[in-house]
Amino acid sequence: MNHWGNINNVVYQMVSKKWAGLISLILGIIFLISPVGGVKAISMFSGIILALIGVWMILNALKERYYRRLSLFWFIFAILLILVGALLAFQIILISTFAGFWLYVTGLLFIIAGFIVVLSAWDAHVTRTLGVMGILVGLIYFVVGILAFNPVFLGVIIGIILIIYGLVILFS
């Protein structure tokens, strides 16, 4: 009996992986057809989820009042989550703003770290090369971060990633 249970489990996992790949592929195509619509949908969905997590955190902060410092921290963070969630859900800001800012700052940090490594290890060829690579990666992040502020670009990138992921899942 255990043997058939294992077979059923393997078949179930294969089928669910194929469905995940197919859904990813379909979503990727939708993102390529309407990149801005896809980014708006992700923005709204993320906003609703963040706001719900914020409400849950407020309820827990009020319930656990005897941990004053921790519940105050939870309460402040929950208010922040609800605020950001509302901004995203009602399309006051798009998620592309967060993505662009994150990539922009990450690129800037890579560039700074790369320069520090290059300047501190000019004599060591391998270390200097790693520093230059850090600068190049930082520049790529920086440029992609600037482009990610545009929801069309971000939607196309998300669509391509979803299609590649879907194809990898379907053919694995």
Side-chain angles (χ1 to χ4, degrees):
M1 192 71 172
N2 192 15
H3 177 70
W4 288 109
N6 288 339
I7 291 174
N8 286 338
N9 192 22
V10 169
V11 170
Y12 174 75
Q13 286 177 355
M14 286 175 46
V15 170
S16 61
K17 271 181 60 176
K18 298 299 180 187
W19 275 108
L22 187 60
I23 289 170
S24 178
L25 191 61
I26 292 168
L27 286 174
I29 292 169
I30 291 170
F31 265 88
L32 288 180
I33 292 171
S34 176
V36 175
V39 170
K40 284 183 177 182
I42 285 178
S43 206
M44 289 173 54
F45 181 72
S46 299
I48 291 168
I49 296 299
L50 285 176
L52 289 174
I53 292 171
V55 168
W56 176 80
M57 287 182 74
I58 284 177
L59 294 174
N60 278 315
L62 294 174
K63 185 175 80 174
E64 303 294 333
R65 279 182 271 166
Y66 55 91
Y67 295 118
R68 292 255 182 229
R69 290 183 201 156
L70 188 58
S71 65
L72 180 64
F73 176 72
W74 269 55
F75 192 78
I76 292 170
F77 191 71
I79 297 296
L80 181 66
L81 281 177
I82 291 171
L83 178 66
V84 170
L87 291 173
L88 288 171
F90 294 114
Q91 301 299 305
I92 296 168
I93 57 172
L94 286 177
I95 203 157
S96 59
T97 305
F98 288 120
F101 182 73
W102 173 75
L103 289 166
Y104 184 78
V105 169
T106 303
L108 196 58
L109 291 173
F110 264 118
I111 291 169
I112 292 169
F115 273 119
I116 290 171
V117 169
V118 166
L119 295 175
S120 67
W122 189 253
D123 296 336
H125 176 71
V126 173
T127 308
R128 186 179 66 232
T129 304
L130 288 173
V132 171
M133 287 177 58
I135 293 169
L136 292 175
V137 168
L139 288 172
I140 292 169
Y141 265 79
F142 197 78
V143 169
V144 171
I146 291 169
L147 293 173
F149 283 113
N150 182 348
V152 173
F153 178 78
L154 186 62
V156 168
I157 292 297
I158 291 171
I160 290 170
I161 290 170
L162 285 170
I163 288 173
I164 291 170
Y165 177 75
L167 290 173
V168 167
I169 293 295
L170 285 173
F171 293 112
S172 65

